[in-house]
Amino acid sequence: MQCTEIQELIFLDAVGAADEPMRSAVSRHLQDGCIECQLAQTEAKATAAMLPIGLAPATPTPALKASLLERLPAQRTSATPTQANVEAKGHRAADNRPARRPALWPMVITLAMAAAFAIVAILSIDSNASLAKDRQAEMLAVATLKGSLARDSINIHKLSATMTHLVLAQQQKISFLQARLKNAMALEKMVGSPALEMASLQGLAPMRAAWGRVMWNHKLKMWKLCAFNLPALPADKTYEVWMITAKGKKMPAGLFKPDPKTRSIMMTPTLPPHRQIMTEIAVTIEPAGGSLQPTGAVLLAGRINSSL
Amino acid sequence: MTPPPSDQRDDYELMSLLAQGDRDALSALYDKYSGVLLALCQRILHDLTEAEQLLLDVFTELWLKAERYDRDRGAPLTYLITLCRSRAIDRCRSRRNKHGKWILGGNPAENVLSTLQAPSDPPADAMVAGEQGQAVRRALNALNNVQRQVLELAYYGGLSHSEIAENTQLPLGTVKSHIRLALIRLRQELRTMQ
Ligand SMILES: [Zn+2]
């Protein structure tokens, strides 16, 4: 049984409403050493035991205390009081006979003594009651606090695991957003500069509907290629971008797959390692992973004139 | 005349002295708590004579088996109240066996509040400070009648949750949740007081 179920039973047990199988379940669970439930039980029992505190206190017959002291064995033993020894001492038996009234004189004396005690007792009662109340409150507070601490500790562990997951997820999200922000800022800088240059890409058969733009800023050495109306490709194919030099050398400049929803792409072509004049940019379909030289037909192409 | 010196000692000290056979300690505990314990016995048994008899038995048992008290399990008053309630309910059960039917210590439909109201003129020697009593009554006041009744049937009537469900025609789950909510409410009120 889970701790939450056990604690339900602990509430029932605290007010005496649990049946035997429930009490056994609680007891087995506590024997397994669950501190949280042990504290919950202590707290629940302490709380339930406060119920009679709400009752108007009764006043025992004054002679009752004398009867009690009289019936106590002189020495404490492990014996249980029996009805026989109770009756032998002359106290009321647990039948329905009316209480045996004490004789008049002892009662008068008892009352007089009680009154005298009461006057003195009233003077000290506040501090005594207050001490008892403080101690009771303190005990309840400690039990409550222990229960809260154990629960808090378990909750903190659970919370900590959840928080770790959340933090990791948030960190990933932050990294992603930071990367996007960096790109956006770079793009803003590139587009906002007078050094921006741009060329169009046209779709060729069988992809005449496709088109694109290529933008570059030679001062910032940044390139961006946008393309639209691109058909989706099977998993074993990829689009590949080529930079073509004035001498007709085709240099691989990156792979992409368009967004299947928008059928578009914006990517950053890879720049050649050495400075050279580029005259054309082209896109082909290649086997997944790309090729060193184009194997497919040119499907998108644009004229550029840039020194990289 | 001076009050007995044990009156100045706290309950834990009294319990410890009691375990060593100190009669003054028992006397002091009696002075402090016989009022609330008798009220409890009377509430369960609805018979003053029987309640007083039970009170004597409980204090005698306390005297004979003081070592049974474990301070780690709760305050002495909690122990005394739990012991007293348990013996009173046992006595009710033996009545049931004797008469072949359950005799509740009162009318099950009786509102627990009716017996939990503060007396209009509380006795000056009320052993438990009124503040705690008020907190308990406040908590009970915050419950609805059904919740109070369920609590009363369990605590003072000694009925199990299934017997309560049978008596009140409430579903078992409702009985359980009433008890849980009532105790949580009581705990909150007592915490507020602290
Ligand atoms: Zn547990």
Side-chain angles (χ1 to χ4, degrees), chain A residues 8 17 43 54 58 61 65 69 71 76 79 92 128 133 135 139 144, chain B residues 10 12 19 23 27 31 52-53 56-57 63-64 67 116 161 180 191:
Chain A
E8 286 278 315
E43 192 184 8
T61 310
K65 186 179 172 187
L69 296 175
R71 85 193 275 191
R76 287 181 62 248
R92 289 193 297 276
N128 294 335
K133 187 201 80 176
R135 196 65 204 234
M139 212 32 222
T144 305
Chain B
D10 83 10
Y12 291 91
R23 293 168 78 93
S27 169
D31 290 343
E52 288 197 329
Q53 179 62 47
L56 285 181
D57 287 351
W63 170 253
L64 293 171
E67 70 283 349
L116 293 177
H161 73 296
R180 183 169 49 85
R191 277 182 188 167

PDB file of all heavy atoms in Angstrom, chain A residues 8 17 43 54 58 61 65 69 71 76 79 92 128 133 135 139 144, chain B residues 10 12 19 23 27 31 52-53 56-57 63-64 67 116 161 180 191:
ATOM      1  N   GLU A   8      -4.507   7.745   4.904  1.00  0.00           N
ATOM      2  CA  GLU A   8      -5.978   7.783   4.980  1.00  0.00           C
ATOM      3  C   GLU A   8      -6.433   6.907   6.154  1.00  0.00           C
ATOM      4  O   GLU A   8      -7.291   7.289   6.939  1.00  0.00           O
ATOM      5  CB  GLU A   8      -6.587   7.214   3.688  1.00  0.00           C
ATOM      6  CG  GLU A   8      -6.474   8.136   2.494  1.00  0.00           C
ATOM      7  CD  GLU A   8      -7.563   9.183   2.488  1.00  0.00           C
ATOM      8  OE1 GLU A   8      -8.720   8.817   2.724  1.00  0.00           O
ATOM      9  OE2 GLU A   8      -7.240  10.373   2.273  1.00  0.00           O
ATOM     10  N   ALA A  17     -11.957   4.575  14.068  1.00  0.00           N
ATOM     11  CA  ALA A  17     -12.930   4.107  13.079  1.00  0.00           C
ATOM     12  C   ALA A  17     -12.349   3.078  12.108  1.00  0.00           C
ATOM     13  O   ALA A  17     -13.036   2.633  11.199  1.00  0.00           O
ATOM     14  CB  ALA A  17     -13.493   5.283  12.302  1.00  0.00           C
ATOM     15  N   GLU A  43       0.979  12.418  14.870  1.00  0.00           N
ATOM     16  CA  GLU A  43       0.299  13.709  14.737  1.00  0.00           C
ATOM     17  C   GLU A  43      -1.222  13.532  14.737  1.00  0.00           C
ATOM     18  O   GLU A  43      -1.945  14.254  15.424  1.00  0.00           O
ATOM     19  CB  GLU A  43       0.749  14.373  13.439  1.00  0.00           C
ATOM     20  CG  GLU A  43       0.351  15.804  13.350  1.00  0.00           C
ATOM     21  CD  GLU A  43       0.722  16.419  11.994  1.00  0.00           C
ATOM     22  OE1 GLU A  43       1.153  15.685  11.089  1.00  0.00           O
ATOM     23  OE2 GLU A  43       0.571  17.635  11.866  1.00  0.00           O
ATOM     24  N   GLY A  54     -12.317  19.917  24.023  1.00  0.00           N
ATOM     25  CA  GLY A  54     -13.436  20.802  23.694  1.00  0.00           C
ATOM     26  C   GLY A  54     -14.664  20.550  24.557  1.00  0.00           C
ATOM     27  O   GLY A  54     -15.620  21.328  24.512  1.00  0.00           O
ATOM     28  N   ALA A  58     -15.804  18.059  33.508  1.00  0.00           N
ATOM     29  CA  ALA A  58     -16.742  17.617  34.540  1.00  0.00           C
ATOM     30  C   ALA A  58     -16.058  17.748  35.894  1.00  0.00           C
ATOM     31  O   ALA A  58     -14.834  17.869  35.962  1.00  0.00           O
ATOM     32  CB  ALA A  58     -17.138  16.179  34.276  1.00  0.00           C
ATOM     33  N   THR A  61     -16.850  13.716  41.812  1.00  0.00           N
ATOM     34  CA  THR A  61     -17.283  13.728  43.215  1.00  0.00           C
ATOM     35  C   THR A  61     -16.043  13.924  44.082  1.00  0.00           C
ATOM     36  O   THR A  61     -15.038  13.252  43.850  1.00  0.00           O
ATOM     37  CB  THR A  61     -17.919  12.353  43.550  1.00  0.00           C
ATOM     38  OG1 THR A  61     -18.877  12.068  42.539  1.00  0.00           O
ATOM     39  CG2 THR A  61     -18.570  12.341  44.906  1.00  0.00           C
ATOM     40  N   LYS A  65     -11.278  11.126  44.643  1.00  0.00           N
ATOM     41  CA  LYS A  65      -9.815  11.096  44.687  1.00  0.00           C
ATOM     42  C   LYS A  65      -9.328  10.290  45.896  1.00  0.00           C
ATOM     43  O   LYS A  65      -8.376   9.504  45.793  1.00  0.00           O
ATOM     44  CB  LYS A  65      -9.265  12.517  44.734  1.00  0.00           C
ATOM     45  CG  LYS A  65      -7.765  12.539  44.632  1.00  0.00           C
ATOM     46  CD  LYS A  65      -7.209  13.937  44.663  1.00  0.00           C
ATOM     47  CE  LYS A  65      -5.702  13.889  44.762  1.00  0.00           C
ATOM     48  NZ  LYS A  65      -5.144  15.219  44.961  1.00  0.00           N
ATOM     49  N   LEU A  69      -6.842   7.048  45.881  1.00  0.00           N
ATOM     50  CA  LEU A  69      -5.592   6.899  46.637  1.00  0.00           C
ATOM     51  C   LEU A  69      -5.679   5.716  47.594  1.00  0.00           C
ATOM     52  O   LEU A  69      -4.690   5.022  47.823  1.00  0.00           O
ATOM     53  CB  LEU A  69      -5.268   8.199  47.376  1.00  0.00           C
ATOM     54  CG  LEU A  69      -4.998   9.384  46.451  1.00  0.00           C
ATOM     55  CD1 LEU A  69      -4.796  10.672  47.232  1.00  0.00           C
ATOM     56  CD2 LEU A  69      -3.789   9.120  45.537  1.00  0.00           C
ATOM     57  N   ARG A  71      -7.411   2.964  47.063  1.00  0.00           N
ATOM     58  CA  ARG A  71      -7.400   1.667  46.377  1.00  0.00           C
ATOM     59  C   ARG A  71      -6.044   1.326  45.775  1.00  0.00           C
ATOM     60  O   ARG A  71      -5.798   0.197  45.383  1.00  0.00           O
ATOM     61  CB  ARG A  71      -8.472   1.651  45.272  1.00  0.00           C
ATOM     62  CG  ARG A  71      -8.018   2.237  43.945  1.00  0.00           C
ATOM     63  CD  ARG A  71      -9.155   2.486  43.013  1.00  0.00           C
ATOM     64  NE  ARG A  71      -9.523   1.300  42.255  1.00  0.00           N
ATOM     65  CZ  ARG A  71     -10.356   1.310  41.202  1.00  0.00           C
ATOM     66  NH1 ARG A  71     -10.914   2.436  40.817  1.00  0.00           N
ATOM     67  NH2 ARG A  71     -10.646   0.221  40.571  1.00  0.00           N
ATOM     68  N   ARG A  76       3.933  -0.403  43.498  1.00  0.00           N
ATOM     69  CA  ARG A  76       3.490  -0.663  42.146  1.00  0.00           C
ATOM     70  C   ARG A  76       3.910  -2.071  41.772  1.00  0.00           C
ATOM     71  O   ARG A  76       5.031  -2.499  42.012  1.00  0.00           O
ATOM     72  CB  ARG A  76       4.114   0.334  41.168  1.00  0.00           C
ATOM     73  CG  ARG A  76       3.512   1.688  41.286  1.00  0.00           C
ATOM     74  CD  ARG A  76       4.126   2.631  40.289  1.00  0.00           C
ATOM     75  NE  ARG A  76       3.858   2.165  38.938  1.00  0.00           N
ATOM     76  CZ  ARG A  76       4.782   1.710  38.116  1.00  0.00           C
ATOM     77  NH1 ARG A  76       6.018   1.639  38.495  1.00  0.00           N
ATOM     78  NH2 ARG A  76       4.466   1.308  36.909  1.00  0.00           N
ATOM     79  N   ALA A  79       0.456  -6.051  38.369  1.00  0.00           N
ATOM     80  CA  ALA A  79      -0.900  -6.611  38.380  1.00  0.00           C
ATOM     81  C   ALA A  79      -1.894  -5.640  37.779  1.00  0.00           C
ATOM     82  O   ALA A  79      -1.722  -4.426  37.845  1.00  0.00           O
ATOM     83  CB  ALA A  79      -1.306  -6.942  39.796  1.00  0.00           C
ATOM     84  N   ARG A  92     -17.531   1.645  44.444  1.00  0.00           N
ATOM     85  CA  ARG A  92     -18.687   1.278  43.647  1.00  0.00           C
ATOM     86  C   ARG A  92     -18.324   0.234  42.607  1.00  0.00           C
ATOM     87  O   ARG A  92     -17.322   0.361  41.918  1.00  0.00           O
ATOM     88  CB  ARG A  92     -19.217   2.523  42.922  1.00  0.00           C
ATOM     89  CG  ARG A  92     -19.872   3.490  43.843  1.00  0.00           C
ATOM     90  CD  ARG A  92     -20.638   4.503  43.041  1.00  0.00           C
ATOM     91  NE  ARG A  92     -19.785   5.313  42.188  1.00  0.00           N
ATOM     92  CZ  ARG A  92     -19.147   6.383  42.610  1.00  0.00           C
ATOM     93  NH1 ARG A  92     -19.269   6.776  43.860  1.00  0.00           N
ATOM     94  NH2 ARG A  92     -18.408   7.071  41.790  1.00  0.00           N
ATOM     95  N   ASN A 128      -0.209  26.623  36.384  1.00  0.00           N
ATOM     96  CA  ASN A 128      -0.187  25.168  36.147  1.00  0.00           C
ATOM     97  C   ASN A 128      -0.861  24.820  34.837  1.00  0.00           C
ATOM     98  O   ASN A 128      -0.320  24.067  34.025  1.00  0.00           O
ATOM     99  CB  ASN A 128      -0.903  24.423  37.282  1.00  0.00           C
ATOM    100  CG  ASN A 128      -0.154  24.582  38.587  1.00  0.00           C
ATOM    101  OD1 ASN A 128       1.045  24.812  38.582  1.00  0.00           O
ATOM    102  ND2 ASN A 128      -0.863  24.495  39.685  1.00  0.00           N
ATOM    103  N   LYS A 133      -0.746  23.399  29.292  1.00  0.00           N
ATOM    104  CA  LYS A 133      -1.184  23.784  27.947  1.00  0.00           C
ATOM    105  C   LYS A 133       0.032  23.981  27.030  1.00  0.00           C
ATOM    106  O   LYS A 133       0.073  23.491  25.925  1.00  0.00           O
ATOM    107  CB  LYS A 133      -1.981  25.082  28.042  1.00  0.00           C
ATOM    108  CG  LYS A 133      -2.621  25.492  26.736  1.00  0.00           C
ATOM    109  CD  LYS A 133      -2.961  26.956  26.699  1.00  0.00           C
ATOM    110  CE  LYS A 133      -1.720  27.775  26.393  1.00  0.00           C
ATOM    111  NZ  LYS A 133      -1.959  29.191  26.250  1.00  0.00           N
ATOM    112  N   ARG A 135       2.981  22.697  27.368  1.00  0.00           N
ATOM    113  CA  ARG A 135       3.676  21.439  27.094  1.00  0.00           C
ATOM    114  C   ARG A 135       2.909  20.640  26.033  1.00  0.00           C
ATOM    115  O   ARG A 135       3.491  20.068  25.127  1.00  0.00           O
ATOM    116  CB  ARG A 135       3.773  20.642  28.403  1.00  0.00           C
ATOM    117  CG  ARG A 135       4.789  19.521  28.317  1.00  0.00           C
ATOM    118  CD  ARG A 135       6.173  20.140  28.128  1.00  0.00           C
ATOM    119  NE  ARG A 135       7.063  19.183  27.498  1.00  0.00           N
ATOM    120  CZ  ARG A 135       8.245  18.829  28.001  1.00  0.00           C
ATOM    121  NH1 ARG A 135       8.685  19.376  29.109  1.00  0.00           N
ATOM    122  NH2 ARG A 135       8.979  17.947  27.378  1.00  0.00           N
ATOM    123  N   MET A 139       4.241  19.738  22.415  1.00  0.00           N
ATOM    124  CA  MET A 139       4.304  18.344  21.945  1.00  0.00           C
ATOM    125  C   MET A 139       3.617  18.214  20.588  1.00  0.00           C
ATOM    126  O   MET A 139       4.137  17.589  19.667  1.00  0.00           O
ATOM    127  CB  MET A 139       3.562  17.510  22.979  1.00  0.00           C
ATOM    128  CG  MET A 139       4.039  16.102  23.214  1.00  0.00           C
ATOM    129  SD  MET A 139       5.745  15.756  23.022  1.00  0.00           S
ATOM    130  CE  MET A 139       5.575  14.199  22.176  1.00  0.00           C
ATOM    131  N   THR A 144       3.695  17.841  14.865  1.00  0.00           N
ATOM    132  CA  THR A 144       3.260  18.470  13.618  1.00  0.00           C
ATOM    133  C   THR A 144       4.461  18.823  12.749  1.00  0.00           C
ATOM    134  O   THR A 144       4.498  18.542  11.557  1.00  0.00           O
ATOM    135  CB  THR A 144       2.473  19.753  13.945  1.00  0.00           C
ATOM    136  OG1 THR A 144       1.421  19.394  14.821  1.00  0.00           O
ATOM    137  CG2 THR A 144       1.896  20.391  12.701  1.00  0.00           C
TER     138      THR A 144
ATOM    139  N   ASP B  10       5.988  19.590  35.544  1.00  0.00           N
ATOM    140  CA  ASP B  10       5.294  19.381  34.274  1.00  0.00           C
ATOM    141  C   ASP B  10       4.891  17.916  34.106  1.00  0.00           C
ATOM    142  O   ASP B  10       5.316  17.047  34.863  1.00  0.00           O
ATOM    143  CB  ASP B  10       6.093  19.949  33.097  1.00  0.00           C
ATOM    144  CG  ASP B  10       7.182  19.017  32.587  1.00  0.00           C
ATOM    145  OD1 ASP B  10       7.232  17.846  33.001  1.00  0.00           O
ATOM    146  OD2 ASP B  10       7.974  19.474  31.754  1.00  0.00           O
ATOM    147  N   TYR B  12       5.532  15.601  32.007  1.00  0.00           N
ATOM    148  CA  TYR B  12       6.560  14.593  31.707  1.00  0.00           C
ATOM    149  C   TYR B  12       7.264  14.167  32.987  1.00  0.00           C
ATOM    150  O   TYR B  12       7.539  12.997  33.212  1.00  0.00           O
ATOM    151  CB  TYR B  12       7.567  15.159  30.705  1.00  0.00           C
ATOM    152  CG  TYR B  12       6.950  15.349  29.342  1.00  0.00           C
ATOM    153  CD1 TYR B  12       6.355  16.555  29.004  1.00  0.00           C
ATOM    154  CD2 TYR B  12       6.916  14.316  28.426  1.00  0.00           C
ATOM    155  CE1 TYR B  12       5.750  16.726  27.773  1.00  0.00           C
ATOM    156  CE2 TYR B  12       6.325  14.469  27.189  1.00  0.00           C
ATOM    157  CZ  TYR B  12       5.747  15.689  26.862  1.00  0.00           C
ATOM    158  OH  TYR B  12       5.156  15.844  25.645  1.00  0.00           O
ATOM    159  N   ALA B  19       6.189   6.597  37.332  1.00  0.00           N
ATOM    160  CA  ALA B  19       6.790   5.302  36.970  1.00  0.00           C
ATOM    161  C   ALA B  19       7.713   4.807  38.077  1.00  0.00           C
ATOM    162  O   ALA B  19       7.989   3.620  38.186  1.00  0.00           O
ATOM    163  CB  ALA B  19       7.545   5.434  35.655  1.00  0.00           C
ATOM    164  N   ARG B  23       3.339   8.536  44.614  1.00  0.00           N
ATOM    165  CA  ARG B  23       1.876   8.705  44.701  1.00  0.00           C
ATOM    166  C   ARG B  23       1.474  10.169  44.518  1.00  0.00           C
ATOM    167  O   ARG B  23       0.399  10.462  43.999  1.00  0.00           O
ATOM    168  CB  ARG B  23       1.356   8.195  46.053  1.00  0.00           C
ATOM    169  CG  ARG B  23       1.501   6.688  46.216  1.00  0.00           C
ATOM    170  CD  ARG B  23       1.247   6.284  47.655  1.00  0.00           C
ATOM    171  NE  ARG B  23      -0.164   6.251  47.982  1.00  0.00           N
ATOM    172  CZ  ARG B  23      -0.923   5.162  47.907  1.00  0.00           C
ATOM    173  NH1 ARG B  23      -0.382   4.023  47.527  1.00  0.00           N
ATOM    174  NH2 ARG B  23      -2.198   5.197  48.234  1.00  0.00           N
ATOM    175  N   SER B  27      -1.410  11.842  42.178  1.00  0.00           N
ATOM    176  CA  SER B  27      -2.369  12.767  42.758  1.00  0.00           C
ATOM    177  C   SER B  27      -2.400  14.073  41.951  1.00  0.00           C
ATOM    178  O   SER B  27      -3.467  14.625  41.659  1.00  0.00           O
ATOM    179  CB  SER B  27      -1.963  13.008  44.214  1.00  0.00           C
ATOM    180  OG  SER B  27      -2.691  14.061  44.738  1.00  0.00           O
ATOM    181  N   ASP B  31      -5.416  15.695  39.826  1.00  0.00           N
ATOM    182  CA  ASP B  31      -5.917  17.055  40.031  1.00  0.00           C
ATOM    183  C   ASP B  31      -5.996  17.829  38.715  1.00  0.00           C
ATOM    184  O   ASP B  31      -6.917  18.591  38.481  1.00  0.00           O
ATOM    185  CB  ASP B  31      -5.005  17.822  41.005  1.00  0.00           C
ATOM    186  CG  ASP B  31      -5.126  17.288  42.425  1.00  0.00           C
ATOM    187  OD1 ASP B  31      -6.118  16.571  42.697  1.00  0.00           O
ATOM    188  OD2 ASP B  31      -4.230  17.563  43.247  1.00  0.00           O
ATOM    189  N   GLU B  52     -17.342   7.713  36.634  1.00  0.00           N
ATOM    190  CA  GLU B  52     -16.418   7.886  37.767  1.00  0.00           C
ATOM    191  C   GLU B  52     -15.711   6.576  38.084  1.00  0.00           C
ATOM    192  O   GLU B  52     -14.530   6.553  38.428  1.00  0.00           O
ATOM    193  CB  GLU B  52     -17.176   8.415  38.987  1.00  0.00           C
ATOM    194  CG  GLU B  52     -17.574   9.885  38.822  1.00  0.00           C
ATOM    195  CD  GLU B  52     -17.950  10.565  40.125  1.00  0.00           C
ATOM    196  OE1 GLU B  52     -18.478   9.875  41.022  1.00  0.00           O
ATOM    197  OE2 GLU B  52     -17.720  11.779  40.233  1.00  0.00           O
ATOM    198  N   GLN B  53     -16.442   5.493  37.996  1.00  0.00           N
ATOM    199  CA  GLN B  53     -15.845   4.168  38.220  1.00  0.00           C
ATOM    200  C   GLN B  53     -14.712   3.921  37.217  1.00  0.00           C
ATOM    201  O   GLN B  53     -13.632   3.466  37.578  1.00  0.00           O
ATOM    202  CB  GLN B  53     -16.943   3.095  38.059  1.00  0.00           C
ATOM    203  CG  GLN B  53     -16.439   1.666  38.245  1.00  0.00           C
ATOM    204  CD  GLN B  53     -15.880   1.446  39.640  1.00  0.00           C
ATOM    205  OE1 GLN B  53     -16.514   1.823  40.626  1.00  0.00           O
ATOM    206  NE2 GLN B  53     -14.684   0.870  39.718  1.00  0.00           N
ATOM    207  N   LEU B  56     -11.615   5.931  37.994  1.00  0.00           N
ATOM    208  CA  LEU B  56     -10.812   5.269  39.039  1.00  0.00           C
ATOM    209  C   LEU B  56      -9.976   4.146  38.417  1.00  0.00           C
ATOM    210  O   LEU B  56      -8.797   4.003  38.710  1.00  0.00           O
ATOM    211  CB  LEU B  56     -11.728   4.674  40.121  1.00  0.00           C
ATOM    212  CG  LEU B  56     -12.373   5.643  41.099  1.00  0.00           C
ATOM    213  CD1 LEU B  56     -13.222   4.884  42.095  1.00  0.00           C
ATOM    214  CD2 LEU B  56     -11.310   6.453  41.834  1.00  0.00           C
ATOM    215  N   ASP B  57     -10.613   3.366  37.557  1.00  0.00           N
ATOM    216  CA  ASP B  57      -9.902   2.249  36.920  1.00  0.00           C
ATOM    217  C   ASP B  57      -8.745   2.746  36.060  1.00  0.00           C
ATOM    218  O   ASP B  57      -7.664   2.159  36.064  1.00  0.00           O
ATOM    219  CB  ASP B  57     -10.868   1.425  36.040  1.00  0.00           C
ATOM    220  CG  ASP B  57     -11.816   0.586  36.894  1.00  0.00           C
ATOM    221  OD1 ASP B  57     -11.605   0.515  38.127  1.00  0.00           O
ATOM    222  OD2 ASP B  57     -12.774   0.018  36.332  1.00  0.00           O
ATOM    223  N   TRP B  63      -1.338   3.968  37.385  1.00  0.00           N
ATOM    224  CA  TRP B  63      -0.432   3.733  38.522  1.00  0.00           C
ATOM    225  C   TRP B  63       0.306   2.399  38.363  1.00  0.00           C
ATOM    226  O   TRP B  63       1.508   2.313  38.570  1.00  0.00           O
ATOM    227  CB  TRP B  63      -1.257   3.750  39.815  1.00  0.00           C
ATOM    228  CG  TRP B  63      -0.524   3.300  41.033  1.00  0.00           C
ATOM    229  CD1 TRP B  63      -0.674   2.123  41.706  1.00  0.00           C
ATOM    230  CD2 TRP B  63       0.492   4.019  41.741  1.00  0.00           C
ATOM    231  NE1 TRP B  63       0.166   2.051  42.772  1.00  0.00           N
ATOM    232  CE2 TRP B  63       0.897   3.211  42.823  1.00  0.00           C
ATOM    233  CE3 TRP B  63       1.103   5.259  41.563  1.00  0.00           C
ATOM    234  CZ2 TRP B  63       1.881   3.599  43.743  1.00  0.00           C
ATOM    235  CZ3 TRP B  63       2.084   5.648  42.482  1.00  0.00           C
ATOM    236  CH2 TRP B  63       2.466   4.829  43.537  1.00  0.00           C
ATOM    237  N   LEU B  64      -0.443   1.387  37.974  1.00  0.00           N
ATOM    238  CA  LEU B  64       0.147   0.042  37.888  1.00  0.00           C
ATOM    239  C   LEU B  64       1.034  -0.136  36.663  1.00  0.00           C
ATOM    240  O   LEU B  64       1.958  -0.933  36.683  1.00  0.00           O
ATOM    241  CB  LEU B  64      -0.964  -1.013  37.870  1.00  0.00           C
ATOM    242  CG  LEU B  64      -1.764  -1.131  39.174  1.00  0.00           C
ATOM    243  CD1 LEU B  64      -2.964  -2.036  38.980  1.00  0.00           C
ATOM    244  CD2 LEU B  64      -0.859  -1.655  40.296  1.00  0.00           C
ATOM    245  N   GLU B  67       4.911   2.517  33.268  1.00  0.00           N
ATOM    246  CA  GLU B  67       6.056   2.334  32.363  1.00  0.00           C
ATOM    247  C   GLU B  67       5.596   2.146  30.914  1.00  0.00           C
ATOM    248  O   GLU B  67       6.405   2.206  29.993  1.00  0.00           O
ATOM    249  CB  GLU B  67       6.939   1.167  32.818  1.00  0.00           C
ATOM    250  CG  GLU B  67       6.342  -0.221  32.660  1.00  0.00           C
ATOM    251  CD  GLU B  67       5.303  -0.567  33.730  1.00  0.00           C
ATOM    252  OE1 GLU B  67       5.183   0.180  34.714  1.00  0.00           O
ATOM    253  OE2 GLU B  67       4.594  -1.573  33.543  1.00  0.00           O
ATOM    254  N   LEU B 116     -20.248  19.731  23.105  1.00  0.00           N
ATOM    255  CA  LEU B 116     -18.924  20.333  23.070  1.00  0.00           C
ATOM    256  C   LEU B 116     -18.970  21.836  23.342  1.00  0.00           C
ATOM    257  O   LEU B 116     -17.957  22.495  23.313  1.00  0.00           O
ATOM    258  CB  LEU B 116     -18.273  20.084  21.700  1.00  0.00           C
ATOM    259  CG  LEU B 116     -17.947  18.621  21.421  1.00  0.00           C
ATOM    260  CD1 LEU B 116     -17.386  18.465  20.017  1.00  0.00           C
ATOM    261  CD2 LEU B 116     -16.970  18.073  22.421  1.00  0.00           C
ATOM    262  N   HIS B 161     -15.741   2.670  10.640  1.00  0.00           N
ATOM    263  CA  HIS B 161     -16.226   3.454   9.499  1.00  0.00           C
ATOM    264  C   HIS B 161     -17.381   2.763   8.791  1.00  0.00           C
ATOM    265  O   HIS B 161     -18.302   3.411   8.307  1.00  0.00           O
ATOM    266  CB  HIS B 161     -15.078   3.767   8.546  1.00  0.00           C
ATOM    267  CG  HIS B 161     -14.609   2.605   7.748  1.00  0.00           C
ATOM    268  ND1 HIS B 161     -14.041   1.496   8.328  1.00  0.00           N
ATOM    269  CD2 HIS B 161     -14.641   2.368   6.430  1.00  0.00           C
ATOM    270  CE1 HIS B 161     -13.746   0.636   7.380  1.00  0.00           C
ATOM    271  NE2 HIS B 161     -14.094   1.132   6.217  1.00  0.00           N
ATOM    272  N   ARG B 180     -11.318  12.485   7.706  1.00  0.00           N
ATOM    273  CA  ARG B 180     -10.026  13.083   7.351  1.00  0.00           C
ATOM    274  C   ARG B 180     -10.107  14.612   7.390  1.00  0.00           C
ATOM    275  O   ARG B 180      -9.285  15.281   8.013  1.00  0.00           O
ATOM    276  CB  ARG B 180      -9.615  12.616   5.955  1.00  0.00           C
ATOM    277  CG  ARG B 180      -8.267  13.116   5.500  1.00  0.00           C
ATOM    278  CD  ARG B 180      -7.827  12.400   4.238  1.00  0.00           C
ATOM    279  NE  ARG B 180      -8.876  12.374   3.222  1.00  0.00           N
ATOM    280  CZ  ARG B 180      -9.095  13.348   2.355  1.00  0.00           C
ATOM    281  NH1 ARG B 180      -8.347  14.420   2.361  1.00  0.00           N
ATOM    282  NH2 ARG B 180     -10.065  13.258   1.476  1.00  0.00           N
ATOM    283  N   ARG B 191      -2.989  24.535  15.126  1.00  0.00           N
ATOM    284  CA  ARG B 191      -1.753  25.170  14.651  1.00  0.00           C
ATOM    285  C   ARG B 191      -1.866  26.680  14.713  1.00  0.00           C
ATOM    286  O   ARG B 191      -0.943  27.362  15.121  1.00  0.00           O
ATOM    287  CB  ARG B 191      -1.451  24.753  13.220  1.00  0.00           C
ATOM    288  CG  ARG B 191      -0.730  23.425  13.134  1.00  0.00           C
ATOM    289  CD  ARG B 191      -0.446  23.132  11.686  1.00  0.00           C
ATOM    290  NE  ARG B 191       0.079  21.794  11.528  1.00  0.00           N
ATOM    291  CZ  ARG B 191       0.178  21.172  10.358  1.00  0.00           C
ATOM    292  NH1 ARG B 191      -0.236  21.754   9.268  1.00  0.00           N
ATOM    293  NH2 ARG B 191       0.666  19.969  10.280  1.00  0.00           N
TER     294      ARG B 191
END
